[in-house]
Amino acid sequence: LDQNLKNNSAISLINTNVTRFGKNYNADVGGFVFNLNNKKNSYGITGYGFMSNLIYPDKKNISGYTYEVGGGKNLGNFTWNIYQDFASSNYNPNDLGILNNPNYFDHNINLQYFNYKPTKYFTQWGIYSSIYYSRRYQPWAYQALNGNIGTNFRFKNFWFYNFNIQLQASGHDFYEPHMAGKFYNTPGSVGFNTSVNTNRAKRLSGGFFLLARTITNNHNAFGNYNELFYSLRINDKLAFGQDISYNPQHHFLGHYTNDGSGNSVFSLYNRNTIENIFNLKYTFNNTMGLTLRLRHYWSKRNNFTFYNLQDNGSLAERHPAGYDSRTDENFNTVNTDMIYTWVFSPGSLLSVAYKNSSLKDDNLANRDYFDNLTTTFKSSLNNNFSVKILYYIDYQNLRKKGKKIS
């Protein structure tokens, strides 16, 4: 339920419910979202609050809650906002949503200065920065601190350029060990990224994104992320594009397994990940269209040295390791998504979707890209066909018609 208010403000009530009609548990999440602005829309506050309940037939129910509250200046060249986020350890919306790691108490500060007055070379330019600080709620403990500063420009030809520097302090990761009561001392890192986008209004557009990061883990760790993308519009009905990314990571440290003897086992590894996405879109008319998305994701991990996680969050090398090259990982998945959509009335939608996927997960991390792609295509397919109808009911119109009838 959503209600618009003055000054572009709004408040909404939301509820999700899963009822299983059996001996298993039921789940309910309910709460509200709000957005309140002053008359000039120069300042505003936003936030939400939700409570989750897992209702069991044979034991005590489990309840949790979360909230976010923030606000700031939204008008002018200089803008800012501050946010606080909280989720209790028992907050769980995952029966009809997703939240991987609750139990946090986070703060964000964002500062921006943008000049929207065109100059000789730019239509706009600006600088921005942010600081993020996170703590675990129960038991109370420091988790992470990081910040970044960047700048971007939009040129007279509508090309866009961005540059950003990130600094991350050392911290404590309570989830990477995959074992309750343990934590990992995450190392600090320094990174930068840059990106370029051409004029998206052109028939052919594209760009790239580059990120490089060094990590102070005493193993000369280094990683980068490289992305190249384009879009080509053949005519007013047909367009296609592609997005290819390559993400190598050298001498990273991370969880590998739990050995069954109370040890969380980490490894020093190299990982290479490639993702290739092809999109095609055909528009029949202004209410009907067809989209096709093909995706291949390949990630391989070669492990070198193995460690036991210590109680103080540090790592100690295993002797003997107990693992060898057979512990390498090679993961592939290929997805096809084809969706037909029809907006049959304002706010109402019919969608028909066909999806299939194949997955290959083994330890043969010495294969090249095309060997992996071919092997994955030969794996068994998981096919899915679905139909969805969304129908918009205008309560105000129904009320008006009811008055006329009476």
Side-chain angles (χ1 to χ4, degrees):
L1 300 174
D2 180 84
Q3 177 63 56
N4 290 330
L5 305 173
K6 294 191 302 182
N7 308 325
N8 293 320
S9 302
I11 187 168
S12 303
L13 300 178
I14 301 173
N15 180 264
T16 64
N17 183 280
V18 177
T19 302
R20 294 185 166 89
F21 302 104
K23 295 183 179 180
N24 210 335
Y25 71 94
N26 301 322
D28 185 270
V29 180
F32 63 94
V33 180
F34 68 91
N35 172 33
L36 304 175
N37 301 300
N38 65 352
K39 189 174 182 179
K40 293 182 179 180
N41 277 237
S42 55
Y43 290 88
I45 58 174
T46 63
Y48 59 75
F50 289 94
M51 183 174 183
S52 68
N53 287 285
L54 304 184
I55 305 159
Y56 293 88
D58 55 353
K59 63 179 182 179
K60 185 179 179 180
N61 298 339
I62 299 177
S63 299
Y65 62 97
T66 184
Y67 73 81
E68 178 184 277
V69 61
K73 182 175 181 290
N74 304 316
L75 190 64
N77 298 104
F78 175 70
T79 59
W80 57 268
N81 54 64
I82 300 175
Y83 287 94
Q84 183 182 92
D85 294 87
F86 171 83
S88 66
S89 58
N90 288 332
Y91 179 67
N92 186 352
N94 293 324
D95 289 88
L96 203 62
I98 183 169
L99 176 64
N100 291 324
N101 300 319
N103 196 25
Y104 59 78
F105 189 59
D106 296 350
H107 293 82
N108 286 275
I109 300 176
N110 302 288
L111 307 173
Q112 300 88 214
Y113 178 85
F114 281 89
N115 190 323
Y116 301 99
K117 185 178 180 179
T119 65
K120 182 178 180 180
Y121 299 104
F122 311 115
T123 59
Q124 72 172 63
W125 63 271
I127 57 176
Y128 58 89
S129 64
S130 67
I131 298 175
Y132 168 76
Y133 178 71
S134 176
R135 296 190 70 89
R136 185 180 60 167
Y137 179 60
Q138 289 180 332
W140 185 253
Y142 162 69
Q143 290 192 126
L145 172 65
N146 59 62
N148 74 87
I149 184 169
T151 181
N152 57 52
F153 305 89
R154 188 174 297 279
F155 296 90
K156 283 292 186 67
N157 61 359
F158 293 101
W159 283 43
F160 182 82
Y161 171 76
N162 179 78
F163 180 82
N164 180 271
I165 297 174
Q166 309 108 36
L167 300 174
Q168 180 171 312
S170 57
H172 301 140
D173 192 329
F174 297 91
Y175 306 100
E176 183 68 10
H178 293 70
M179 185 177 290
K182 288 187 175 289
F183 65 91
Y184 169 57
N185 294 332
T186 54
S189 67
V190 178
F192 76 91
N193 68 69
T194 184
S195 63
V196 171
N197 290 267
T198 67
N199 186 353
R200 296 179 182 272
K202 297 292 186 179
R203 185 181 296 273
L204 175 63
S205 65
F208 65 83
F209 176 87
L210 302 176
L211 180 148
R213 185 162 65 112
T214 60
I215 300 175
T216 56
N217 67 355
N218 298 320
H219 295 280
N220 297 317
F222 177 82
N224 59 349
Y225 179 87
N226 313 291
E227 183 179 9
L228 181 66
F229 51 90
Y230 72 88
S231 179
L232 177 61
R233 188 174 68 252
I234 303 299
N235 51 44
D236 291 339
K237 293 183 176 294
L238 179 64
F240 66 88
Q242 196 168 9
D243 190 325
I244 303 173
S245 63
Y246 174 53
N247 178 209
Q249 299 174 335
H250 300 284
H251 297 144
F252 275 45
L253 287 164
H255 177 265
Y256 176 72
T257 189
N258 294 340
D259 65 4
S261 300
N263 294 311
S264 176
V265 181
F266 279 55
S267 74
L268 179 69
Y269 64 87
N270 287 349
R271 174 185 281 140
N272 290 286
T273 303
I274 297 176
E275 186 175 31
N276 191 349
I277 301 174
F278 176 81
N279 292 286
L280 184 145
K281 181 178 181 180
Y282 186 83
T283 302
F284 298 99
N285 52 47
N286 62 348
T287 63
M288 194 180 300
L290 182 71
T291 60
L292 174 67
R293 182 177 185 267
L294 306 175
R295 172 181 177 265
H296 175 221
Y297 177 90
W298 172 40
S299 183
K300 68 173 183 177
R301 170 173 170 167
N302 298 100
N303 298 302
F304 303 123
T305 310
F306 295 91
Y307 304 85
N308 285 335
L309 179 65
Q310 306 300 293
D311 291 338
N312 63 359
S314 64
L315 299 175
E317 188 171 348
R318 290 173 65 97
H319 296 289
Y323 303 95
D324 54 30
S325 62
R326 290 173 296 179
T327 61
D328 291 343
E329 296 177 85
N330 188 54
F331 178 84
N332 284 266
T333 182
V334 174
N335 305 89
T336 301
D337 300 270
M338 186 167 60
I339 304 175
Y340 164 82
T341 57
W342 174 33
V343 181
F344 56 87
S345 70
S348 301
L349 176 72
L350 166 69
S351 65
V352 181
Y354 168 72
K355 302 183 179 187
N356 70 45
S357 64
S358 58
L359 183 148
K360 189 70 174 178
D361 189 7
D362 53 41
N363 63 351
L364 302 178
N366 58 346
R367 290 175 174 160
D368 62 28
Y369 179 83
F370 292 101
D371 283 342
N372 277 277
L373 182 61
T374 302
T375 304
T376 307
F377 268 122
K378 293 179 181 179
S379 302
S380 59
L381 290 176
N382 179 16
N383 296 283
N384 179 277
F385 180 81
S386 63
V387 177
K388 180 172 69 174
I389 299 176
L390 297 175
Y391 187 73
Y392 175 72
I393 300 175
D394 191 333
Y395 169 74
Q396 297 294 344
N397 282 338
L398 288 178
R399 191 172 69 169
K400 290 177 182 179
K401 289 179 181 180
K403 288 182 179 180
K404 290 180 181 180
I405 294 173
S406 60

